[in-house]
Structures are given as C-alpha cells and as structure tokens.
Amino acid sequence: MRTLESIQEEIKSLGEVDLFGTAKEVSHLPEILHDDENIKYLTSGLTDGTTWLIVCTQKRIVLLDYGMFFGMKQSEMALENINSISYQTGLLFGSIEIWHGGARMLIENCDKKTVKPFADAVNAAIKALKENQQAAPSTAQPQNAAASGDDVVSKLERLAALKEKGILTDDEFAAQKAKILGMA
C-alpha cells in the first residue's frame, strides 16, 4: 500500500494544483489509489453543493468528498468510458465537464489555473490507454472471447428475468434471444 508521504511527494511534482478544502480527501488517497496507479493531475471543485477532490490517474478519474456526518463519498469513471472532457474559465474560477457513457459530470468553482492542465492530463491518459490497448499482443483475444461469452450469458440472464416478470412475451423473448446469439 502506498503511503501518504509518497502521494504528497507525487502531488508536489505535479506543479500548481488546487487542493482547497480537500485535506481529508488527500489523506484518504493511500486507501483509494491502487499500488500501480500514478496521479497524472488533481484539483478541487464543487459538485452536488460540496467540495470534491478530483484525481486523474492513468486508469480512472476518482472524485472524493469527505463529509463530517456521512463519511467518505467516492465516485469514479474508467478512462475508457469517458466520451469527452471540456473546460471553461472565468475571471477567477473555471469548470470541468466530463461526459462518460450517457452521463454528464460538471465540476464548478475550480481554480481557473488548474482546469486546462486537468483536462490535458485526462486526454493524455486516455490517449496512452488507447495506444497500450492497440499495442497489446494478439494473445489477449482468447480473453476477450471469454469476456464476450460472459457478456452474452449476462444478457440472456437479464432477458430471462424480464420474461419471468412478464415484461416480455414468449415471442419477444425468442426474438431478443436470437439477436443476442447472432441467429437473427
């Protein structure tokens, strides 16, 4: 497990970052980050009416909010699921908008000096991730086939559950099953 001291040194090496109001969140990073994760950039900002620490690693974006009454709240987005990231700057503050899947995450009141470096770090990490996936050896294909098989099984299980609940008729079930199995 990584230590808080090593993470603080990593943060110092990033240059100018904004950690306003996130000391407790930073102290929890050793518990949150995996041993093989490196912080590419981080900043703080408001979302859901509270201040969150937003951390970009080479694998994911992690959002942390430590509240006095409710404890730690954590949200994360895998870089491979991020569709886009954009930022805006104003006189003093900026905002970061992240689209992942079909959802939108808006982080406001970030220090305006940190929004561009954060967005750049996310884009660079996504690019590196894609390059690594393309450079992966062809021996990974059997694993992908197994994952694909697991996906088919989970789709069929969900379909069967819909049929059992009466949401799908027998004919609708048969048609969807054929599509999933590639027979339609």
Side-chain angles (χ1 to χ4, degrees):
M1 187 161 133
R2 298 177 60 191
T3 65
L4 179 58
E5 291 78 25
S6 69
I7 289 174
Q8 287 172 331
E9 286 300 316
E10 193 173 348
I11 292 170
K12 284 180 189 174
S13 72
L14 297 173
E16 188 168 356
V17 295
D18 176 27
L19 302 176
F20 178 77
T22 60
K24 289 181 182 177
E25 291 82 356
V26 170
S27 70
H28 280 80
L29 284 176
E31 301 164 26
I32 306 294
L33 296 177
H34 303 133
D35 289 340
D36 63 342
E37 276 185 298
N38 298 315
I39 299 171
K40 299 299 181 184
Y41 201 77
L42 73 170
T43 189
S44 67
L46 288 179
T47 191
D48 296 333
T50 58
T51 302
W52 290 69
L53 177 67
I54 304 103
V55 182
C56 174
T57 73
Q58 76 272 24
K59 297 179 178 182
R60 60 190 173 145
I61 295 176
V62 181
L63 292 94
L64 301 171
D65 177 29
Y66 189 85
M68 193 161 53
F69 298 111
F70 58 80
M72 181 64 72
K73 286 197 294 189
Q74 176 181 340
S75 179
E76 61 183 69
M77 298 166 252
L79 290 178
E80 59 202 18
N81 295 335
I82 293 178
N83 301 333
S84 69
I85 182 167
S86 60
Y87 66 91
Q88 291 183 347
T89 58
L91 221 55
L92 298 174
F93 297 106
S95 63
I96 300 168
E97 181 180 49
I98 304 169
W99 284 92
H100 57 101
R104 173 183 175 249
M105 170 72 66
L106 180 63
I107 303 113
E108 299 178 298
N109 290 3
C110 303
D111 183 323
K112 78 175 196 174
K113 295 179 217 158
T114 65
V115 293
K116 182 180 183 327
F118 186 85
D120 290 346
V122 170
N123 284 323
I126 290 170
K127 181 180 178 187
L129 184 66
K130 287 180 181 176
E131 288 172 356
N132 286 341
Q133 288 173 343
Q134 290 173 350
S138 61
T139 57
Q141 287 177 347
Q143 292 174 346
N144 291 342
S148 175
D150 290 344
D151 188 42
V152 169
V153 170
S154 69
K155 287 180 181 178
L156 290 172
E157 287 172 345
R158 286 186 297 222
L159 195 61
L162 291 173
K163 181 183 172 207
E164 286 177 25
K165 292 178 182 176
I167 296 172
L168 294 177
T169 66
D170 289 339
D171 292 338
E172 291 170 328
F173 173 79
Q176 293 299 318
K177 180 180 171 184
K179 281 184 186 178
I180 291 171
L181 295 174
M183 299 186 321

